[in-house]
Amino acid sequence: MAAQDVLGQTARLASSSALLQVLFRVVTFALNAFTLRYLSRELIGVVNVRLTLLYSTVVFLAREAFRRACLSGSTKRNWTKTINLLWLTVPLGVFWSVFLGLVWLHLLEVPDPSVVPHYQAGVVAFGLSAIVELLGEPCWVLAQAHLFVRLKVIAESLSVVSKCILTVTLVILYPQWGLYIFALAQLLYATVLVMCYVTYFVMFLGSPEATKKSFPVARVKALLPNFVEDETFVNWKEARLTWSFFKQSFLKQILTEGERYVMTFLNVLNFGDQGVYDIVNNLGSLVARFIFLPIEESFYVFFAKVLERGKAVKDQKQDDVAMAANVLELLLKLVLLIGLTITVFGYAYSQLALDIYGGSMLSSGTGPDLLRCYSLYVLFLAVNGVTECFTSALMCKEEVDRYNFVMLALSFIFLCISYFLTHWHGSIGFILANCFNMGIRIAHSIHYIYDYFKESTYRPLTGLLPSPFLVLVYIISGVITGFSEVVFCCDKGWMARLIHIGVGSLCFAATVVTMFCTETKLIHFVRSQFLSRYLKKGT
C-alpha cells in the first residue's frame, strides 16, 4: 500500500476514532451526572477508581505489548503465527485477573458494605470482563492492521450504548443493588464488543469482498490457534519484540494510572474524595481522550507502516521520510494548539463547568483548582501522545529495551513525587506529578526525534513553535477571561454567568480566526486528511 494511501486511511481511522471517543466520553459524562443524583460518591469512587483500575490493569498488561508488536511492519506476514501469538493474551489475562483479583479482595481496604454493597462480586465481574474482552484480540488486531474503520466505530459504539442503557435502567429500578449494577453492565460491554468483531469476521471471511481484497485470512477457523508442521508456533521476532514492549507496558501502565495506584494502595484519599477526583478527572480529560488518543493510536499505525523500524533515516525511502516528517510536524502543531486552547480557556471556566455539571459538591473546595491544573496537564498529554507514538513506531528492540530503563526510573520517581505532593496539596498533587512525568517523557521523545532527523533536511520539531502573533492572542484571551471570571463568576446569578460565557466565546472566536490566518498549512492538512470525507458527504 502506498504511503499516501496509508496516510488517507490512517486519517480516516483517527477521525472516526475521535468521533467514537466523543460518543463514549459524552455518554460517560452524562451517565456520571445522572448517577450523582441517585448513588453515593463513595460507590462512584469504588467503581470508577478501584474496580476500573483492576479492569484496565488486567487488559493493559495482557494485550498492550502484543498489539504494538503485531501492528508493527507490513500486513504481508504469516498471519497464522501472528494470530497464535495474540491468543497468548487470554492465558496471560487469566493469570493477571486471578492474581490481581486476590490482591483487590484480600490485601486492599474493603469498603463498608452498608455504603458500598457487593464489593466481592464487583471484583470478580470486572476481572471476568477483562478476560472476555481478550477473546476478541485476534479480530481487533486484524481489523486495526487492515484499517477497518467502520467496524471499530460500530462495535465500540454498540457496546458503550448497551452498557449505559443497562446501567441507567438498573440505577433507576434497583439502586439498592450497588455494585451489581456496574458488574452486570461491564460484563455486557465486553460481551457485546467481542460479539461484534466475531460476527463481522464470520460474515466477512470467505465472502467475495474478502476474496477481492486478497484478505490474508480465508477461513473462520484460521482465527483460532493453529499448529503448522515443521514450523514454530509463533514468529519469534514478533515474540521478542512483544517481550520488550511488555516490559515497557508494565512501566507505562504505572505512569498512566499512577495516581489511581497511589490512591488504591496507599489510601491517601477516602472513597468519597476518590469519587470527586475521578469525576473531575473525567471532565478534564474529555478532549484529551476523544481527540489525542485516537490520533496517537491511528498515526502509530501510519508511522509503523511508512517507515521501517530500526532503520536510520538515510536508509529509508526518501519520499516516505518526507511524508512522515511533514505529517509529524503538522500533528505536533495540531495537538499543541488544541492543548494551548484548553489550557488558556480551561483556567477561567473550570469553576463554572463544575458548578453546572455537579453543583456545589464539585464547584466548592478543591474541585475548580483541580480542573485548572488538569487543563495545563492536557497540554502535556497532547504533545506526549504524538511524540511517543512516533518513537514507539520507530525504535528497534535495543532502543525499546534502553527506554525501559528510563521508564523504570520515571515510575519510581513519579510514585514518590505523587505520594509527597498528595500529602502536601491533596488531590492536586496527582496532577502536578503527572505534569512532571509527562514533561520528562516528552523531553526523551524530542531528543529521539531530533537525533533521528538530524542527518536529513527535515525538522518536524518546528511543529512545536506556533506563530508569535497567535501566542500573543492566547495571552490576551487568558487575561481577559481570567478578569471576567473574577467579575462575573460564579455566585452572581445566571445573567452574570451568561456574560462570562459571552466574553469567552468572543475570545475563542478571535483565537480561531487568528489560527486560520497564521497556520494555513495546518488548516489545509486538517481539511484534506481529517475532514475531507465529511465535507464530501455534505456536498
Side-chain angles (χ1 to χ4, degrees):
M1 187 181 292
Q4 189 65 44
D5 294 333
V6 174
L7 173 59
Q9 292 194 39
T10 303
R12 286 195 295 274
L13 178 61
S15 55
S16 297
S17 297
L19 289 176
L20 174 64
Q21 289 295 327
V22 170
L23 170 67
F24 178 76
R25 301 310 300 178
V26 167
V27 170
T28 304
F29 177 77
L31 185 64
N32 278 338
F34 174 79
T35 53
L36 276 172
R37 274 69 178 173
Y38 286 85
L39 304 173
S40 67
R41 64 180 189 173
E42 286 79 12
L43 181 61
I44 294 173
V46 170
V47 172
N48 290 355
V49 178
R50 176 75 67 87
L51 295 183
T52 301
L53 181 64
L54 171 63
Y55 162 78
S56 65
T57 302
V58 171
V59 168
F60 192 92
L61 293 179
R63 76 184 182 192
E64 179 67 14
F66 291 86
R67 284 185 170 185
R68 289 200 173 271
C70 294
L71 286 173
S72 298
S74 170
T75 56
K76 295 179 180 179
R77 64 176 77 186
N78 187 331
W79 276 100
T80 299
K81 294 184 178 182
T82 300
I83 290 172
N84 288 343
L85 182 64
L86 288 168
W87 274 107
L88 296 179
T89 60
V90 176
L92 193 60
V94 171
F95 166 77
W96 284 117
S97 185
V98 172
F99 175 74
L100 293 175
L102 292 174
V103 171
W104 258 241
L105 287 173
H106 299 292
L107 296 183
L108 300 181
E109 177 190 359
V110 176
D112 184 351
S114 63
V115 179
V116 184
H118 317 303
Y119 173 71
Q120 290 77 9
V123 170
V124 173
F126 273 72
L128 181 59
S129 71
I131 297 172
V132 171
E133 188 169 334
L134 292 171
L135 293 173
E137 199 60 19
C139 296
W140 187 93
V141 170
L142 268 174
Q144 192 79 351
H146 292 87
L147 302 174
F148 287 6
V149 177
R150 189 174 301 174
L151 172 60
K152 180 179 181 180
V153 172
I154 293 175
E156 298 199 19
S157 299
L158 284 176
S159 56
V160 168
V161 170
S162 301
K163 174 183 176 180
C164 290
I165 290 175
L166 181 61
T167 302
V168 170
T169 302
L170 294 180
V171 164
I172 293 174
L173 298 179
Y174 307 105
Q176 72 277 9
W177 281 15
L179 288 181
Y180 280 151
I181 296 171
F182 298 94
L184 292 172
Q186 184 66 27
L187 284 170
L188 179 66
Y189 167 83
T191 303
V192 171
L193 183 64
V194 172
M195 289 305 299
C196 285
Y197 277 99
V198 171
T199 302
Y200 177 85
F201 277 104
V202 167
M203 298 173 62
F204 175 74
L205 296 180
S207 67
E209 183 184 358
T211 305
K212 181 180 178 181
K213 291 182 177 180
S214 300
F215 198 72
V217 178
R219 300 174 301 160
V220 175
K221 187 178 179 182
L223 294 174
L224 300 174
N226 286 280
F227 290 90
V228 181
E229 290 186 12
D230 302 324
E231 290 190 31
T232 57
F233 182 67
V234 299
N235 182 327
W236 283 108
K237 182 180 179 181
E238 284 183 350
R240 284 190 292 270
L241 186 60
T242 300
W243 173 240
S244 295
F245 277 125
F246 175 77
K247 290 182 287 185
Q248 185 188 102
S249 68
F250 190 87
L251 300 173
K252 187 177 180 181
Q253 176 68 3
I254 295 176
L255 292 172
T256 303
E257 300 279 10
E259 71 273 12
R260 284 180 167 80
Y261 287 114
V262 172
M263 279 189 280
T264 298
F265 287 93
L266 300 181
N267 296 324
V268 293
L269 299 175
N270 60 46
F271 290 118
D273 290 341
Q274 289 180 27
V276 172
Y277 173 85
D278 186 75
I279 292 168
V280 173
N281 181 57
N282 281 333
L283 181 61
S285 65
L286 213 61
V287 176
R289 290 183 182 273
F290 73 65
I291 293 181
F292 301 144
L293 185 59
I295 288 175
E296 179 184 352
E297 289 181 345
S298 302
F299 280 91
Y300 172 83
V301 177
F302 167 74
F303 291 126
K305 286 179 178 291
V306 170
L307 299 176
E308 292 189 48
R309 182 185 294 277
K311 275 192 175 183
V313 67
K314 62 183 179 181
D315 299 324
Q316 306 272 5
K317 294 180 181 179
Q318 291 308 299
D319 288 345
D320 291 346
V321 171
M323 175 174 288
N326 184 56
V327 169
L328 178 59
E329 177 187 346
L330 294 172
L331 281 179
L332 287 173
K333 182 67 66 68
L334 174 64
V335 298
L336 177 70
L337 295 185
I338 295 173
L340 281 173
T341 302
I342 293 169
T343 300
V344 169
F345 290 94
Y347 182 87
Y349 290 88
S350 293
Q351 185 176 0
L352 178 61
L354 290 177
D355 194 60
I356 294 173
Y357 181 58
S360 59
M361 185 186 82
L362 296 181
S363 62
S364 59
T366 61
D369 288 336
L370 187 62
L371 191 55
R372 290 185 184 108
C373 288
Y374 207 101
S375 298
L376 174 63
Y377 176 51
V378 165
L379 178 59
F380 287 88
L381 279 176
V383 177
N384 179 72
V386 173
T387 55
E388 207 166 69
C389 113
F390 181 85
T391 57
S392 296
L394 271 293
M395 285 192 294
C396 64
K397 179 182 180 300
E398 291 73 22
E399 289 170 327
V400 172
D401 288 337
R402 285 198 299 271
Y403 187 46
N404 289 337
F405 287 103
V406 176
M407 297 283 275
L408 178 62
L410 274 178
S411 301
F412 178 75
I413 294 172
F414 170 71
L415 292 176
C416 292
I417 290 177
S418 295
Y419 181 75
F420 289 113
L421 285 180
T422 304
H423 278 282
W424 171 59
H425 218 317
S427 55
I428 294 175
F430 286 126
I431 307 300
L432 298 177
N434 273 314
C435 289
F436 172 82
N437 159 41
M438 285 295 169
I440 299 297
R441 287 166 66 174
I442 289 169
H444 176 274
S445 297
I446 286 177
H447 177 71
Y448 179 90
I449 294 169
Y450 175 80
D451 282 347
Y452 185 82
F453 286 102
K454 68 181 179 182
E455 295 181 1
S456 72
T457 58
Y458 307 109
R459 297 294 179 264
L461 291 176
T462 55
L464 294 174
L465 301 174
S467 159
F469 187 66
L470 181 57
V471 172
L472 178 62
V473 172
Y474 273 123
I475 293 173
I476 295 173
S477 296
V479 172
I480 292 174
T481 54
F483 180 76
S484 173
E485 182 185 32
V486 173
V487 175
F488 298 112
C489 193
C490 286
D491 56 354
K492 298 178 176 64
W494 275 102
M495 184 56 67
R497 293 184 185 188
L498 291 174
I499 295 174
H500 181 46
I501 293 172
V503 171
S505 300
L506 290 174
C507 290
F508 179 74
T511 303
V512 172
V513 169
T514 306
M515 209 177 292
F516 270 81
C517 295
T518 59
E519 303 292 350
T520 54
K521 186 179 177 182
L522 173 63
I523 299 302
H524 174 73
F525 174 73
V526 172
R527 287 174 62 88
S528 62
Q529 298 300 334
F530 290 91
L531 302 178
S532 58
R533 68 190 184 115
Y534 301 112
L535 293 173
K536 288 176 184 177
K537 285 181 180 180
T539 58

